[in-house]
Amino acid sequence: MTVDLPPLGLGGAQLGNLYHAVPDETAAASVRRAWDEGIRYYDTAPHYGLGLSERRLGAALAAYPRAEYVLSTKVGRVLEPRAVAPGERDDQGFDVPGTYRRRWDFSRDGVLRSLESSLDRLGLDRIDLVYVHDPDDHFEEAVSGAFPALLELREQGVVGAIGAGMNQAPMLAEFVRRFDLDHVLMAGRYTLLNQPALDELLPLCVERGVGVVAGGVFNGGILATEQPGAIYDYAAAPADLVEKAQKIAEICARHGVSLPEAALALPRTHPAVASVVVGAHDAEQVSLNVRRAAANIPAVLWDDLADAGLLRSAARPVVSGGIQ
């Protein structure tokens, strides 16, 4: 891997007003707090708030030495200006004016155009790590266009490392088999509630030396609080999953561990996982997640969850403890 990732990163979706608007100063304060807490990996994407996340993150990070942090963004969605009616908002979960449209484009030209625009929004002259973002319905174009383009850019030194970021594991595994990737960003597929990445992706990444970045460790919110929340992967949580999360929380409590502490800890116990990325709506949430990530997790907790049928036996971690 050409870029080493710190064990904990700040995700940028909330900086793009995911679910609700965040004032500029609140967003800037979140990045400042992340820096003060020692976080040196920041992930964003054009998709997040139609470029707002990139603009805010770039402006906040301008105060710090460029060589001291790692930044990743993504390609696959090109932003194009559009005329909108007064008050018209984005329709993909971000509370921002709908003044741009996202156009899927995994071609070579689309990658180059997307990166040029991202660099402009970020105010940077280079990006450390670039992911092909959500190519679920664009497999062939990503294989023939986006990945070869990124491999060439990495060879030229234009980007430091390349990978793919998705909410599923099987296609990520296929990309790892086909291309010389550095990292994959896997959202929500190795969590307390489900571990499908164990089937193929994680063992393959260990074999190939591909670093895994675990995102979506709270599965959209259900694992983010002491008692299970009501949202799972951006939708209302099914009753059976809420019940399972409650049982997990009860076993965690017996060991003096909160549900979110365990949710942050589990991915880091797998040898394939290089980093965990988590977002925050404000500075206090950043600090809370840092404290949660540093919690010491007794190894017996994982054994108890597996013995209760709440965690796959293959997920019994080989290491324990919090993020250092």
Side-chain angles (χ1 to χ4, degrees):
M1 295 178 289
T2 57
V3 172
D4 292 327
L5 296 181
L8 185 64
L10 179 68
Q14 285 84 348
L15 298 178
N17 288 359
L18 180 64
Y19 300 139
H20 61 80
V22 173
D24 288 339
E25 177 52 35
T26 299
S30 294
V31 179
R32 290 196 300 269
R33 181 67 61 84
W35 187 273
D36 292 342
E37 292 280 9
I39 292 175
R40 295 295 183 268
Y41 173 37
Y42 302 87
D43 176 69
T44 184
H47 172 54
Y48 302 157
L50 296 173
L52 178 63
S53 174
E54 288 184 320
R55 291 193 297 272
R56 283 175 162 175
L57 187 59
L61 288 176
Y64 306 109
R66 180 64 184 91
E68 293 185 14
Y69 65 87
V70 175
L71 184 138
S72 59
T73 192
K74 307 177 182 75
V75 296
R77 295 173 174 87
V78 174
L79 303 183
E80 298 178 332
R82 60 185 288 261
V84 297
E88 185 175 346
R89 312 295 286 177
D90 178 52
D91 62 358
Q92 295 193 29
F94 295 90
D95 189 358
V96 295
T99 50
Y100 290 86
R101 66 167 58 85
R102 301 169 179 87
R103 179 173 60 80
W104 292 107
D105 192 341
F106 293 90
S107 68
R108 173 186 171 79
D109 287 346
V111 166
L112 297 177
R113 179 179 173 185
S114 180
L115 281 178
E116 182 179 6
S117 296
S118 288
L119 286 168
D120 183 61
R121 286 188 292 267
L122 288 161
L124 298 175
D125 60 5
R126 65 181 174 87
I127 295 171
D128 302 298
L129 171 57
V130 179
Y131 298 110
V132 177
H133 197 192
D134 295 338
D136 304 68
D137 299 324
H138 306 271
F139 178 82
E140 294 299 335
E141 188 179 22
V143 166
S144 63
F147 285 110
L150 289 181
L151 286 164
E152 182 180 335
L153 291 174
R154 185 183 64 184
E155 179 67 23
Q156 295 171 350
V158 177
V159 300
I162 65 171
M166 303 183 73
N167 294 296
Q168 59 149 298
M171 195 177 289
L172 283 177
E174 181 62 23
F175 292 141
V176 170
R177 279 191 293 268
R178 289 183 179 229
F179 299 104
D180 177 24
L181 303 185
D182 300 291
H183 298 280
V184 294
L185 174 53
M186 168 197 67
R189 303 285 73 86
Y190 190 64
T191 72
L192 285 174
L193 287 177
N194 61 73
Q195 302 94 43
L198 281 172
D199 296 333
E200 184 178 18
L201 178 61
L202 293 178
L204 183 63
C205 286
V206 170
E207 176 187 331
R208 300 290 180 90
V210 176
V212 174
V213 178
V217 297
F218 297 139
N219 276 131
I222 189 172
L223 301 174
T225 48
E226 299 279 341
Q227 293 300 312
I231 301 298
Y232 172 79
D233 285 3
Y234 313 110
D240 61 329
L241 279 183
V242 175
E243 182 181 0
K244 180 179 181 180
Q246 182 60 49
K247 292 178 179 177
I248 292 172
E250 290 169 359
I251 291 178
C252 287
R254 294 177 204 162
H255 295 281
V257 175
S258 72
L259 188 61
E261 286 172 346
L264 276 165
L266 178 67
R268 279 290 301 164
T269 63
H270 196 283
V273 175
S275 184
V276 173
V277 170
V278 62
H281 281 292
D282 56 37
E284 290 308 311
Q285 200 169 67
V286 172
S287 292
L288 177 60
N289 285 331
V290 169
R291 292 195 299 272
R292 288 167 166 173
N296 185 52
I297 311 297
V300 67
L301 169 61
W302 312 121
D303 293 330
D304 286 354
L305 289 173
D307 290 343
L310 297 169
L311 187 69
R312 287 174 53 172
S313 293
R316 291 178 188 262
V318 295
V319 296
S320 192
I323 293 175
Q324 302 300 318

